Amino acid sequence: MDKRHRFKSGLFFGVLMAVSFIVQDLLGHPSLTFPNILTTMASGLAGGAVAGVLFGWMMGLFANSELLMKGTKINTLTDESILFETGANHFKGAEGVGGKLYLTNQRLVFKSHRFNIQNHERSINLSDIGQVERYKIWGLINKGLLVTTLHNKTEKFVVQQIDEWINQLPKKNDSQYLHLQ
């Protein structure tokens, strides 16, 4: 995880925590005077900032850990080479399973890390991919990669560097891909 992603995840978490701290303190305070509200807002913002910095730092340590990297390596086939890879989540039911997504010259492969409930590896031959689309997760986050096979099976991923994935995938066999931005 690079510094930009650490900062974004820390900022998002910090804002959520600040709002949570402020609301919790305001709802639990017996008297809401102007000085009490200012103190509550200041302590909530400070607590949110500290929580955000710590969360971003810890996420970076986790995402770049040797333990995580070793656990998500894939075995390549004969004459297969890895062209592109990033951290990703693969949706299996309600769980967004964390791991890595690999693009090889033959397949699209997701391999989960061991810190999930539903550990798995999913491999799709490039020749079986019918459509690749970008989608918004929960209608908000524009980092979703929707892959539909020729057999109408869909796989949903949340990926880092979504633009690079969209640009990389159509290059394998342009006639089989629908490139939607």
Side-chain angles (χ1 to χ4, degrees):
M1 178 180 275
D2 60 19
K3 287 182 183 181
R4 191 172 120 251
H5 286 99
R6 283 187 204 185
F7 177 77
K8 280 180 154 180
S9 64
L11 181 64
F12 182 73
F13 184 77
V15 167
L16 286 177
M17 291 307 296
V19 169
S20 172
F21 292 151
I22 291 168
V23 169
Q24 181 181 11
D25 285 350
L26 288 176
L27 290 177
H29 208 284
S31 64
L32 292 178
T33 63
F34 186 71
N36 289 345
I37 292 171
L38 285 178
T39 303
T40 297
M41 302 252 321
S43 64
L45 291 172
V50 170
V53 167
L54 289 174
F55 182 80
W57 178 67
M58 294 298 288
M59 286 299 294
L61 287 178
F62 175 72
N64 297 326
S65 72
E66 190 67 29
L67 181 65
L68 193 65
M69 298 295 180
K70 284 182 184 176
T72 57
K73 287 192 188 266
I74 61 168
N75 295 320
T76 54
L77 305 171
T78 307
D79 298 325
E80 183 177 36
S81 59
I82 297 172
L83 304 175
F84 188 62
E85 64 185 89
T86 64
N89 288 316
H90 179 221
F91 283 98
K92 279 189 70 110
E95 183 185 3
V97 180
K100 273 192 141 177
L101 187 63
Y102 295 87
L103 176 64
T104 74
N105 59 330
Q106 297 177 28
R107 306 177 289 158
L108 183 66
V109 183
F110 174 83
K111 185 164 183 186
S112 64
H113 56 68
R114 68 182 189 170
F115 302 107
N116 294 294
I117 294 170
Q118 300 183 66
N119 291 324
H120 69 284
E121 184 171 325
R122 174 72 169 109
S123 176
I124 305 169
N125 291 329
L126 293 180
S127 59
D128 291 337
I129 296 176
Q131 187 171 335
V132 176
E133 298 178 65
R134 170 185 243 152
Y135 76 99
K136 289 186 177 184
I137 301 108
W138 304 311
L140 300 170
I141 304 166
N142 197 18
K143 290 186 171 262
L145 184 67
L146 180 67
V147 178
T148 306
T149 67
L150 295 174
H151 308 289
N152 288 325
K153 175 126 173 78
T154 59
E155 301 290 345
K156 289 184 174 183
F157 301 96
V158 178
V159 295
Q160 297 172 0
Q161 302 177 29
I162 183 68
D163 292 327
E164 190 65 27
W165 278 105
I166 295 294
N167 289 333
Q168 288 279 336
L169 281 166
K171 293 178 183 170
K172 301 299 121 238
N173 187 350
D174 286 339
S175 65
Q176 289 188 351
Y177 289 88
L178 176 61
H179 178 67
L180 298 177
Q181 290 276 352

